[in-house]
Each structure stands twice: as C-alpha cells, then as structure tokens.
C-alpha cells in the first residue's frame, strides 16, 4: 500500500490517496478530517468514486463537490458545513 501525499496549493490542503488500496483512502481521509491540521476545506484526489465515504462525511458535517469525475481520476472538494 502506498502512502498518501499531502501538499498545499493556494490556501487549500490537498491529499492524494489515488495510489492506495481500499480501505486506505477511506481511513486516511477520515483521519485527516479529524486531525488538528485539518482546516475547513480540503481537496482529495482518488482513483475511484468514494461512494462509501459520503455517509461518513455527512455524519461529520462535511459536504463535497466533484471537481473531476472520470474513470480512474476523481477529485473532490470537501468543506465543512459550518462555513
């Protein structure tokens, strides 16, 4: 399993979990959202549509927007609903 990549672009954090095997992306994203380093938004890069992640995001009061959704390349913008 490959490790996630983290970087900042502009004022947004990015996490690339596209090279990770399930459930790595799911676990990594949720851990990031619960970490002190996490701000109010993050861009997540994945290799597939994370349909099982959406209920957990809703439960944690996060909303998502697709920035890209093609086969093998999904980019989501996650933002707290508290904004």
């Amino acid at each position: 399993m490959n490790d996630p990549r983290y970087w900042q672009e502009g004022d947004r954090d990015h996490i690339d979990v596209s090279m990770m095997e399930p459930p790595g992306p799911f676990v990594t994203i949720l851990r990031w959202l619960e970490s002190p380093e996490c701000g109010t938004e993050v861009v997540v890069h994945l290799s597939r549509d994370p349909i099982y992640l959406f209920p957990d995001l809703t439960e944690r009061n996060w909303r998502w927007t697709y920035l890209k959704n093609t086969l093998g390349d999904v980019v989501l913008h996650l933002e707290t609903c508290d904004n």
Side-chain angles (χ1 to χ4, degrees):
M1 181 185 323
N2 292 328
D3 292 332
R5 285 190 329 117
Y6 299 92
W7 74 93
Q8 191 163 27
E9 195 171 298
D11 59 349
R12 289 187 181 161
D13 291 321
H14 287 248
I15 304 171
D16 185 345
V17 294
S18 63
M19 300 302 287
M20 298 177 77
E21 294 293 323
F26 182 91
V27 172
T28 300
I29 293 165
L30 292 181
R31 281 187 184 152
W32 176 257
L33 297 180
E34 294 172 354
S35 74
E37 293 86 15
C38 182
T40 59
E41 61 183 311
V42 63
V43 176
V44 182
H45 303 259
L46 305 114
S47 62
R48 62 184 79 173
D49 199 0
I51 59 172
Y52 299 111
L53 177 65
F54 297 142
D56 286 272
L57 291 175
T58 299
E59 182 179 303
R60 288 169 171 78
N61 210 26
W62 285 80
R63 63 181 161 240
W64 60 92
T65 306
Y66 286 94
L67 299 178
K68 186 175 191 181
N69 189 7
T70 60
L71 184 62
D73 191 12
V74 177
V75 181
L76 294 176
H77 174 250
L78 307 181
E79 183 176 30
T80 63
C81 293
D82 299 331
N83 282 352

